[in-house]
Amino acid sequence: MKVIIFAVWIIGIIVANVHAKPTAVVFTKDPEAKFLNLERLPDETEGHAINASRKARGLVLMGNGARWSNGIVPYQFGSGYTTQLQADVVTRMRKIENLVAINNARCIQFRPRVSTDLYYITIQNGTGCSARLGQSTGNVTLQSPGCSDDGRTFHELLHALGKSEMKERECLFHEQSRSDRGLYVKVYPENMQTGADQQYLIYENPMADMLNSSYDYSSVMHYAKYDFSSNGKPTMEPIQSNIKIGQRYNLSNGDIQLIRRYYNCSSNGPTLPPFTIPIEPAYPSMLLSTYSSELTNQNLMYNRNGSSLPNFYYEVINVTVPAAGSYIFQCYSNIDTFGYIYNQAFYPLSPAMNLINAFDDENIERWEFSFMLTFNSPDTSLLVVTTYNPNMTGSFLIAAILLSPLPPPRRQQQRQQAALLPPLPPPRRQQQRQQAALLPPLPPPRRQQQRQQAALLPPLPPPRQQQAALLPPLPPPRQQQAALLPPLPPPR
């Protein structure tokens, strides 16, 4: 009984009670064969790795040649590159510098060419993706569009960091050319285009040195399953199940360690100039916020849903959206991440409970999750960030983007629209009253008007009899007048 109570108590501690009911829309993966490898074949004018009839990486081909002096690679741009394309390539150079630096101490550095440079690379906009191996005066071809993304630029610049002329120099080349590759992948030459088999040659010691590194499926130098296929069938497959190959978006941890060992890097070198790796979301103008963290061996572990293996580090993140709408969540990392969305609570001991959906890769070349959620109102959801393979650690960043806000409910929308519209006119009777109040008063009725006018006029003369009373008396009649006259004198 005590054991049961203790288990319930532990579950209660790690459960996050968050109420959210979003509708998840999954980004569907593109078919693997859809992605065309534009890295050029050696039977063309310039091969993918030029001046190297035999090549290797993961893996360094050994010889008497020197690395780029002090890890500094001068560069210039050829024709065909706009100012913006040049800025994009330089940003990717800065990314490589910062990824391989140890405590910001310079390991390798790309800088513009000066007149005294004997060796330098020329970056040009040509056909396909190709690079001359190692310290030399040669071209790095990055076709735009087609090869002007992060992963392909990284791939070709890593070739440029290596060496050419196999028996006399060293070179960084492809992961599948390691002497131990037979333990990790199967290669099918019968499915390859003519000349492509040169990219899959195996190199044995002492010609090749793997620098004590393990086989790296996630290397940016590893080819994908269908690269250079002539018939739509795989040219190479991992022997182990649930393994992915051919990413083209970042340097793996193995790539970083190999470059550090190859150039004998330490934390005592010159300090790199300040640089912030930019976030490049799908819709930069609508970027709302970012969240950065790191999976370490201090994180809790669990058996993630969908995998039969144990020991996956994870982190639970509360995602709160400020308004209704469709949101995109993009992950950026140099580890292969995996995301899960839960609508109420996350139970590590029952990872399928309350699960809305799971999100793996954006596509076969970009092994970071990217998904869209639609919220009908401001709300909170749970995002569990873990990894594709167990026991993996590393930093990650998640960018939240508001793709399109949802219109408010109809009644609220009507209220908002009404608030923006001019007020409706009053009812007709009220309108008539308001108009009447603004008009001059109507003239009084005719009889009242006559009375008012009469009151303003001088009084009418009295009736005739009344006028006679006011007149002096009329003289008496003639006879009466005669009586009033003095008597006439007697006749003469």
Side-chain angles (χ1 to χ4, degrees):
M1 185 66 180
K2 291 182 178 180
V3 173
I4 297 174
I5 295 173
F6 179 77
V8 172
W9 177 71
I10 290 294
I11 294 173
I13 291 175
I14 60 178
V15 169
N17 291 312
V18 182
H19 301 282
K21 296 181 180 179
T23 301
V25 181
V26 182
F27 278 83
T28 56
K29 290 187 179 182
D30 293 306
E32 293 189 45
K34 171 185 172 183
F35 287 80
L36 175 65
N37 191 332
L38 296 179
E39 295 160 5
R40 301 177 64 187
L41 297 177
D43 60 344
E44 296 179 313
T45 351
E46 293 180 342
H48 165 65
I50 303 166
N51 278 352
S53 58
R54 300 182 186 274
K55 313 120 183 158
R57 179 313 191 186
L59 195 71
V60 174
L61 289 187
M62 302 305 295
N64 299 322
R67 298 160 176 79
W68 288 92
S69 180
N70 296 320
I72 295 176
V73 184
Y75 68 88
Q76 67 179 12
F77 285 97
S79 59
Y81 265 85
T82 64
T83 302
Q84 183 59 52
L85 287 174
Q86 293 182 28
D88 292 342
V89 173
V90 171
T91 295
R92 293 172 189 129
M93 292 176 175
R94 300 288 91 84
K95 288 182 179 180
I96 294 176
E97 293 169 355
N98 281 266
L99 285 169
V100 302
I102 301 176
N103 295 331
N104 205 41
R106 185 187 73 198
C107 176
I108 54 100
Q109 186 174 17
F110 298 88
R111 64 158 174 79
R113 175 203 174 195
V114 296
S115 59
T116 56
D117 289 325
L118 180 61
Y119 301 109
Y120 56 90
I121 60 174
T122 299
I123 302 168
Q124 63 180 10
N125 187 0
T127 302
C129 324
S130 61
R132 186 175 293 275
L133 291 173
Q135 180 173 270
S136 63
T137 300
N139 294 330
V140 174
T141 302
L142 298 172
Q143 176 182 321
S144 179
C147 303
S148 54
D149 55 13
D150 277 13
R152 287 174 177 79
T153 302
F154 291 162
H155 184 105
E156 302 307 333
L157 290 178
L158 259 62
H159 279 315
L161 286 171
K163 305 302 173 189
S164 62
E165 300 173 15
M166 180 198 69
K167 292 185 178 180
E168 299 177 2
R169 299 192 179 184
E170 304 165 332
C171 72
L172 289 163
F173 208 70
H174 297 126
E175 192 72 18
Q176 68 268 8
S177 292
R178 290 171 53 119
S179 59
D180 61 348
R181 75 109 180 266
L183 301 174
Y184 301 95
V185 294
K186 289 182 180 179
V187 176
Y188 306 105
E190 66 275 14
N191 297 332
M192 295 179 185
Q193 300 172 21
T194 303
D197 59 326
Q198 294 293 308
Q199 304 290 350
Y200 296 84
L201 294 178
I202 294 178
Y203 301 97
E204 305 288 348
N205 289 327
M207 293 169 55
D209 186 354
M210 294 181 287
L211 295 178
N212 296 318
S213 63
S214 58
Y215 196 90
D216 187 5
Y217 286 114
S218 60
S219 171
V220 77
M221 305 303 289
H222 204 301
Y223 277 3
K225 188 175 179 180
Y226 290 90
D227 282 352
F228 304 116
S229 174
S230 61
N231 53 15
K233 297 180 180 180
T235 53
M236 179 170 53
E237 286 183 317
I239 293 175
Q240 300 179 39
S241 59
N242 299 317
I243 293 294
K244 297 177 289 188
I245 53 176
Q247 66 92 358
R248 287 294 183 272
Y249 72 96
N250 210 344
L251 300 186
S252 70
N253 286 331
D255 293 329
I256 293 170
Q257 294 303 320
L258 186 80
I259 295 172
R260 287 174 175 174
R261 293 172 185 170
Y262 186 48
Y263 276 92
N264 298 315
C265 301
S266 72
S267 58
N268 300 322
T271 302
L272 284 173
F275 173 73
T276 301
I277 296 179
I279 301 169
E280 300 170 357
Y283 305 90
S285 61
M286 295 178 279
L287 179 65
L288 288 180
S289 62
T290 59
Y291 175 88
S292 59
S293 186
E294 184 176 3
L295 295 176
T296 70
N297 55 14
Q298 300 300 312
N299 285 79
L300 297 175
M301 303 182 81
Y302 82 128
N303 295 6
R304 72 170 176 83
N305 188 69
S307 175
S308 59
L309 300 175
N311 301 332
F312 290 85
Y313 294 108
Y314 72 93
E315 180 174 337
V316 183
I317 303 168
N318 292 329
V319 178
T320 302
V321 296
S326 296
Y327 294 81
I328 290 179
F329 298 90
Q330 285 183 301
C331 185
Y332 298 83
S333 179
N334 64 342
I335 58 175
D336 188 356
T337 56
F338 210 109
Y340 293 90
I341 286 291
Y342 291 85
N343 66 352
Q344 288 184 349
F346 169 59
Y347 298 89
L349 301 182
S350 301
M353 188 179 297
N354 297 326
L355 176 64
I356 294 179
N357 223 321
F359 307 94
D360 188 8
D361 306 337
E362 183 174 339
N363 53 54
I364 66 165
E365 294 187 341
R366 189 178 185 280
W367 294 355
E368 304 303 324
F369 64 78
S370 179
F371 61 90
M372 183 172 68
L373 289 179
T374 299
F375 292 85
N376 296 320
S377 62
D379 216 331
T380 301
S381 185
L382 282 179
L383 171 61
V384 175
V385 177
T386 184
T387 57
Y388 182 80
N389 294 310
N391 299 302
M392 292 183 66
T393 59
S395 60
F396 64 90
L397 182 145
I398 298 172
I401 303 155
L402 175 59
L403 185 61
S404 59
L406 291 180
R410 188 168 181 180
R411 181 168 294 181
Q412 182 181 353
Q413 190 175 10
Q414 291 172 342
R415 290 173 184 168
Q416 291 174 344
Q417 291 174 345
L420 299 174
L421 294 174
L424 293 174
R428 188 168 180 179
R429 181 168 292 180
Q430 182 180 352
Q431 188 176 11
Q432 290 173 345
R433 291 173 183 169
Q434 290 174 344
Q435 291 174 345
L438 299 174
L439 294 174
L442 294 174
R446 188 169 180 182
R447 181 169 293 179
Q448 183 180 353
Q449 188 177 10
Q450 290 173 346
R451 290 174 184 168
Q452 290 174 345
Q453 290 175 348
L456 299 174
L457 294 175
L460 293 175
R464 195 164 183 178
Q465 292 177 348
Q466 188 176 356
Q467 288 178 352
L470 298 174
L471 293 175
L474 293 175
R478 196 166 187 173
Q479 293 178 352
Q480 188 177 357
Q481 288 178 354
L484 295 173
L485 291 174
L488 293 173
R492 214 167 166 181

